[in-house]
């Protein structure tokens, strides 16, 4: 059930996600709160349809990957709230959250998703800048004279 409020400046999308499964996904500095329920295959990110939120085809394909692996691309509706980081981190966080929520629905999917490393949090993050360096590892340009 989808209700759209008629506020011209900021139209809010109200989604009914009772009896859904919740999971949190993380990647880089992004955090995705994911609610998953049986439905018709709609994916909403921060109140928008995911194809409007993510401009890159690579990110769109990455988000639908967990559903394609289990051959149920139109069986679940997803509502997601994402914050922090950029589009790549947010898409990765969504994939992590969706995969964890799918495992909550059906434990038999765990082996399929784990084989593709979708249930594991990708712990890589930006390395901090070190003192006496230009960036994390890059030195300042050396000049003899």
């Amino acid at each position: 059930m989808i209700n759209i409020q008629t506020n011209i400046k900021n139209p809010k999308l109200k989604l009914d996600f009772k009896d859904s499964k919740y999971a949190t996904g993380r990647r880089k500095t992004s955090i995705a709160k994911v609610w998953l329920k049986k439905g018709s295959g709609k994916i909403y990110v921060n109140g928008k349809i995911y194809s409007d939120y993510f401009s890159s085809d690579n990110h769109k394909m990455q988000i639908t990957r967990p559903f394609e692996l289990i051959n149920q691309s139109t069986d679940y509706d997803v509502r997601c709230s994402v914050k922090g980081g950029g589009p790549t981190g947010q898409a990765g966080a969504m994939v992590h959250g969706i995969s964890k929520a799918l495992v909550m629905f059906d434990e038999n999917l765990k082996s399929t998703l784990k084989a593709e490393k979708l249930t594991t949090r990708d712990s890589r993050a930006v390395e901090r800048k070190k003192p006496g360096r230009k960036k994390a590892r890059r030195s300042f340009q050396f000049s003899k004279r």
Side-chain angles (χ1 to χ4, degrees):
M1 175 186 231
I2 300 171
N3 296 328
I4 300 176
Q5 289 179 343
T6 56
N7 184 353
I8 296 168
K9 287 186 179 178
N10 188 9
K12 276 279 191 179
L13 204 60
K14 289 225 172 183
L15 301 168
D16 181 28
F17 269 79
K18 291 184 171 83
D19 63 278
S20 60
K21 302 290 181 188
Y22 169 80
T24 306
R26 291 186 173 87
R27 170 81 169 94
K28 292 187 175 181
T29 56
S30 302
I31 299 169
K33 299 174 184 175
V34 178
W35 289 268
L36 193 75
K37 73 169 190 169
K38 292 278 187 186
S40 58
K42 295 184 176 87
I43 302 173
Y44 295 98
V45 185
N46 292 350
K48 296 180 182 177
I49 296 171
Y50 83 105
S51 56
D52 296 339
Y53 189 83
F54 292 102
S55 57
S56 170
D57 291 334
N58 190 25
H59 296 143
K60 294 174 195 173
M61 193 171 58
Q62 188 180 356
I63 289 167
T64 56
R65 190 159 170 247
F67 299 116
E68 290 168 2
L69 286 172
I70 61 170
N71 298 322
Q72 295 177 345
S73 56
T74 59
D75 290 356
Y76 295 98
D77 285 345
V78 178
R79 187 185 82 185
C80 183
S81 171
V82 186
K83 64 180 182 180
T88 302
Q90 289 183 351
M94 274 190 68
V95 170
H96 185 226
I98 289 169
S99 300
K100 283 169 63 175
L102 282 169
V103 169
M104 286 181 196
F105 259 108
D106 187 6
E107 283 289 325
N108 300 328
L109 301 175
K110 187 168 186 170
S111 59
T112 309
L113 295 170
K114 192 172 176 130
E116 295 292 322
K117 297 182 180 159
L118 297 181
T119 55
T120 309
R121 190 226 194 272
D122 190 349
S123 61
R124 292 177 295 170
V126 179
E127 191 175 341
R128 77 173 188 88
K129 185 195 174 298
K130 313 295 186 310
R133 299 264 174 182
K134 190 174 177 108
K135 292 172 33 178
R137 296 180 182 216
R138 167 105 166 79
S139 298
F140 292 106
Q141 184 172 344
F142 177 75
S143 175
K144 198 166 190 176
R145 296 190 176 88

